[in-house]
Amino acid sequence: MDNFFKSQDKATYRLSPNGESISYLKLQDKKQNLFVEDLNTGKLTQLTKLIEKNISFYSWVSNDELIYYKEKVGERYQADLFIINKEGKNERQLSVNEKARIRILEDKLIDNKYLLVLSNKRDSTVSDVYRLNVRDGKMQMVSRNPGNITGWMTDSKGKVRLASSSDGVKETLLIRQSEDQPFKPIVTINFKTTLRPIAFSESEPNIMYVISDVDRDKSALVELDCLTGKERRVLFANDTLNAVDAQYSKNRGEMDYVVYESWKKQKHYLNANARSFYQKLDKLVPNTEYRIIDRDKNEKIFVVRTFTDRNPGSYYLYTAESGKLKKLTDINSAIDETQMCEMKPIKYTSRDGLEINGYLTLPLNSDGKNLPVVVIPHNGPGQRNTWGFNAETQFLANRGYAVFQVNYRGSSGYGKNFYAAGFKQWGGKVQDDIDDGVMWLITQKIADPQKIAIYGTSFGGFIALNSAIKSPELYKCAASNSGVLNLFNYLISIPPYFRSNLQMYYDIVGNPETDADYMRQASPVFHADKINVPIFITQNIKDPRINPSDAIRLVKELKKRNIPVTYHEKEDSPFSINREESRQKVYAALEQFLESNLKKK
């Protein structure tokens, strides 16, 4: 079990702008420290020696300097910002840990001394744009947030050209031609619609590349006219495929490819140069997916991460001119790929005629028949299961379970109609989609109908407990990891900087004033009397989004009725390295819970 949930020894690789140095975070005594390696000489320098804090973010800001955040455990979004040179010298503190959220908007130095940062220090509910002088630590406001701006974007020259505003339901893109001009709205959409900027054109400053499903169900890659807000040209569109990302080359000034996703993510090349360039890399890592993690300014050296469904993958350094790939490190060297299991796409039809997709992972050397099954509904809203290595899935398959992951209605990646079909259906049709998938497994004789469990995290835990309430005949037991138990308290806990999106949450999850009956019906905490199967509940008592009293209340009610309950508290920090011991305890308890209730042979 330790092998599956082992923390990465090295992570977060970054290249200096000139491509001559590479940096990474290395795990030492449960702390991540920052290292820099000179790619020409091989010289390795340790920049930090942290004792009680962690690095939550870092970035190169020049060929010789890096900035990083020191963040205390339990103080998420509050950080001390430092700058240091690549030799580990001249460290200076640029900001003091304040009760504010700060993050980098543009991580390359402007005029050799300015960084653009976002901070909510003026008003906790919104982020303003500041110009941070890395020489003296002074911050000067560049763009003041009037109260409804939820995002900012720079062009390739580091100028703040785009802002997005929201009233909670409608979102508006605002553009300006230069920083001395006011922002002007060019297009307004409903939050159900996608309009995600990728990059400004280098050759045509008034053209922007965006992922858009405006006036279509599936997202496409289009050129948007910044003066009119209208589509000028469609670069990629397909009635059955959803564009989810795209790659723009600043060096060549053109879009290289669009990423679309069905059961796997795939590339569609948009020009001959990109096709020739990336197909060389494709041949070096056959039958393997990869992601470009970072690149130098001239786009000649790349950090690449590879993975498959059975291998968590590795980090590589790719030098384009030589076509050589050098391994930097494995994500998790403890994983034996030959002992892992294939993640296969499946689909079935729901009771009301909707096509539902998902994944099925069968235990190694299994005949695929009459198996104990663990159903894992993903977290949400608006997320999805994707193909790739999943430690949780492989851990359970390794223990002999078939693992069933469902992209129920409301999941992203299948078009905006499918996404919207899940609104206010938590406890309703979302549950039906899960149950219909389980029935499909039974009719296909894959599942042993007497040995089916359901387990999920956050909203997945919410679905798991609701399944125990609504369909106890299908599930032998249910497990919730940091699950949402009370929709009313979930909405109350939304942090200040997400308050502008509150109306969106009302549309998706429910409005406490107008949908109180539905929200109560869908919240597991109010229905302990309907649960008659063994329950596993674990929660992070320091999670600000979860009210610990809800879990305690549910556990007490179940114990009064003599329902078997396994309750486990954890104290996760925002840093993965501090979660390893906690993770292992949770999965050890979950393994025992499933073993005892599904009674595998």
Side-chain angles (χ1 to χ4, degrees):
M1 185 186 67
D2 294 351
N3 293 341
F4 284 101
F5 303 106
K6 183 176 177 289
S7 293
Q8 291 183 41
D9 292 327
K10 296 179 182 178
T12 321
Y13 283 88
R14 296 286 183 266
L15 283 164
S16 61
N18 61 11
E20 294 183 1
S21 300
I22 190 168
S23 55
Y24 55 86
L25 296 176
K26 183 179 180 180
L27 190 61
Q28 296 179 312
D29 298 325
K30 297 186 178 182
K31 296 292 177 187
Q32 281 182 320
N33 278 299
L34 182 57
F35 286 75
V36 168
E37 179 182 345
D38 188 306
L39 292 175
N40 296 316
T41 66
K43 178 184 177 183
L44 186 64
T45 304
Q46 181 173 348
L47 272 59
T48 64
K49 296 180 180 179
L50 301 184
I51 298 174
E52 61 177 16
K53 293 189 178 182
N54 287 281
I55 294 176
S56 58
F57 169 88
Y58 85 90
S59 177
W60 288 87
V61 293
S62 71
N63 292 323
D64 301 305
E65 297 171 300
L66 304 93
I67 60 167
Y68 67 93
Y69 292 155
K70 285 183 186 177
E71 202 166 278
K72 287 185 178 179
V73 173
E75 294 185 12
R76 192 178 298 194
Y77 305 130
Q78 299 172 29
D80 299 331
L81 182 61
F82 290 80
I83 187 167
I84 193 170
N85 71 18
K86 66 179 182 180
E87 303 296 329
K89 300 176 182 178
N90 299 328
E91 183 182 50
R92 303 184 309 282
Q93 186 165 347
L94 299 178
S95 72
V96 180
N97 189 339
E98 301 171 346
K99 298 272 183 199
R101 188 173 185 241
I102 185 170
R103 56 192 175 96
I104 303 297
L105 176 62
E106 175 57 55
D107 63 1
K108 299 300 182 285
L109 280 185
I110 302 168
D111 298 332
N112 200 36
K113 61 180 177 180
Y114 295 113
L115 280 180
L116 291 180
V117 300
L118 300 176
S119 176
N120 63 344
K121 70 175 189 174
R122 178 185 62 84
D123 181 340
S124 64
T125 64
V126 297
S127 291
D128 302 309
V129 183
Y130 292 86
R131 184 179 286 111
L132 170 65
N133 188 323
V134 300
R135 307 304 170 201
D136 59 19
K138 293 182 180 179
M139 289 174 62
Q140 179 184 5
M141 189 179 294
V142 174
S143 295
R144 182 186 174 97
N145 195 327
N148 62 346
I149 303 298
T150 55
W152 307 88
M153 181 175 164
T154 63
D155 61 17
S156 63
K157 298 176 178 60
K159 303 297 183 183
V160 182
R161 291 272 316 280
L162 178 145
S164 56
S165 70
S166 173
D167 65 2
V169 175
K170 291 182 179 179
E171 299 177 1
T172 300
L173 284 189
L174 303 100
I175 300 286
R176 64 183 178 187
Q177 303 309 305
S178 63
E179 288 188 331
D180 58 359
Q181 294 181 355
F183 282 102
K184 293 183 179 180
I186 60 167
V187 60
T188 297
I189 58 172
N190 186 281
F191 78 90
K192 302 171 191 175
T193 302
T194 298
L195 191 64
R196 181 162 64 87
I198 299 296
F200 285 96
S201 169
E202 296 286 319
S203 57
E204 300 178 88
N206 289 321
I207 294 299
M208 185 167 54
Y209 302 105
V210 300
I211 300 288
S212 170
D213 61 15
V214 175
D215 298 327
R216 53 175 67 88
D217 182 49
K218 303 293 191 296
S219 293
L221 177 66
V222 304
E223 288 182 353
L224 191 73
D225 189 318
C226 295
L227 299 178
T228 65
K230 303 294 184 183
E231 286 184 13
R232 191 178 77 159
R233 186 161 67 104
V234 177
L235 301 180
F236 174 88
N238 189 292
D239 290 340
T240 61
L241 297 174
N242 213 53
V244 295
D245 203 359
Q247 181 61 56
Y248 180 74
S249 170
K250 288 184 179 180
N251 196 41
R252 291 195 302 274
E254 59 184 353
M255 293 299 308
D256 278 349
Y257 58 80
V258 63
V259 178
Y260 62 89
E261 187 170 22
S262 52
W263 69 280
K264 290 176 72 174
K265 288 181 179 176
Q266 294 176 280
K267 300 185 191 73
H268 172 77
Y269 294 110
L270 298 168
N271 62 72
N273 288 332
R275 181 179 292 105
S276 173
F277 183 90
Y278 287 103
Q279 283 183 344
K280 292 177 183 177
L281 183 54
D282 293 341
K283 291 177 182 177
L284 292 173
V285 285
N287 305 314
T288 301
E289 281 204 38
Y290 66 85
R291 302 282 183 266
I292 303 295
I293 302 300
D294 199 20
R295 67 194 69 204
D296 69 336
K297 185 177 180 180
N298 294 322
E299 299 181 6
K300 293 183 178 180
I301 302 176
F302 298 77
V303 177
V304 179
R305 182 196 166 173
T306 63
F307 65 90
T308 68
D309 54 343
R310 288 179 282 189
N311 189 332
S314 306
Y315 289 107
Y316 291 89
L317 191 69
Y318 176 59
T319 305
E321 289 184 351
S322 65
K324 291 184 178 179
L325 205 61
K326 174 188 174 184
K327 181 183 279 192
L328 297 170
T329 191
D330 291 321
I331 305 294
N332 184 350
S333 59
I335 295 296
D336 180 357
E337 183 177 1
T338 64
Q339 297 299 309
M340 299 300 104
C341 306
E342 184 180 1
M343 186 179 183
K344 296 180 180 179
I346 59 92
K347 62 182 177 181
Y348 58 91
T349 303
S350 70
R351 66 191 68 182
D352 59 352
L354 205 59
E355 181 180 280
I356 306 295
N357 290 268
Y359 301 92
L360 182 63
T361 303
L362 300 177
L364 204 62
N365 302 320
S366 160
D367 63 2
K369 298 297 181 184
N370 204 38
L371 294 167
V373 175
V374 179
V375 182
I376 306 183
H378 64 76
N379 188 12
Q383 299 184 34
R384 62 164 287 170
N385 291 301
T386 59
W387 185 89
F389 186 85
N390 184 308
E392 204 169 61
T393 299
Q394 293 294 337
F395 167 64
L396 292 169
N398 181 262
R399 268 42 181 178
Y401 301 103
V403 182
F404 185 51
Q405 297 167 276
V406 181
N407 285 332
Y408 47 80
R409 70 189 71 201
S411 302
S412 63
Y414 298 95
K416 61 184 178 185
N417 292 331
F418 188 84
Y419 169 54
F423 292 0
K424 297 183 184 179
Q425 290 299 325
W426 305 94
K429 291 182 179 179
V430 165
Q431 301 294 145
D432 292 342
D433 291 344
I434 307 290
D435 291 353
D436 291 345
V438 172
M439 292 304 299
W440 178 81
L441 287 177
I442 293 172
T443 58
Q444 296 293 313
K445 301 190 184 308
I446 296 169
D448 180 340
Q450 301 304 314
K451 295 182 179 180
I452 299 172
I454 184 165
Y455 158 75
T457 299
S458 192
F459 261 100
F462 169 91
I463 292 172
L465 292 180
N466 269 334
S467 296
I469 293 164
K470 186 176 181 181
S471 306
E473 73 284 356
L474 279 182
Y475 304 101
K476 201 73 174 176
C477 58
S480 166
N481 185 353
S482 299
V484 175
L485 304 179
N486 185 335
L487 293 181
F488 296 99
N489 284 337
Y490 171 77
L491 292 175
I492 290 171
S493 69
I494 291 174
Y497 42 86
F498 285 151
R499 287 289 168 183
S500 60
N501 292 327
L502 194 56
Q503 188 59 50
M504 177 188 72
Y505 283 95
Y506 287 170
D507 280 12
I508 297 174
V509 176
N511 186 319
E513 294 184 5
T514 59
D515 301 310
D517 290 344
Y518 152 72
M519 291 175 66
R520 184 177 180 85
Q521 174 269 324
S523 297
V525 71
F526 300 116
H527 304 287
D529 61 317
K530 298 183 180 71
I531 296 177
N532 293 297
V533 299
I535 297 295
F536 176 97
I537 293 178
T538 181
Q539 66 170 355
N540 178 6
I541 58 175
K542 292 187 177 181
D543 186 344
R545 301 300 305 276
I546 301 296
N547 188 330
S549 65
D550 288 327
I552 293 169
R553 172 183 171 182
L554 183 62
V555 168
K556 285 181 176 179
E557 291 295 322
L558 292 174
K559 286 187 173 181
K560 280 183 187 177
R561 298 179 49 242
N562 295 319
I563 302 298
V565 181
T566 301
Y567 178 64
H568 183 89
E569 285 187 350
K570 52 184 180 175
E571 294 188 32
D572 284 358
S573 78
F575 306 102
S576 61
I577 53 173
N578 290 331
R579 293 202 303 259
E580 184 168 351
E581 185 177 347
S582 176
R583 279 200 306 265
Q584 291 169 353
K585 287 180 179 178
V586 168
Y587 287 113
L590 177 65
E591 180 178 16
Q592 185 177 2
F593 173 80
L594 294 172
E595 177 76 32
S596 61
N597 285 292
L598 296 189
K599 295 183 174 61
K600 301 201 314 289
K601 294 178 182 178

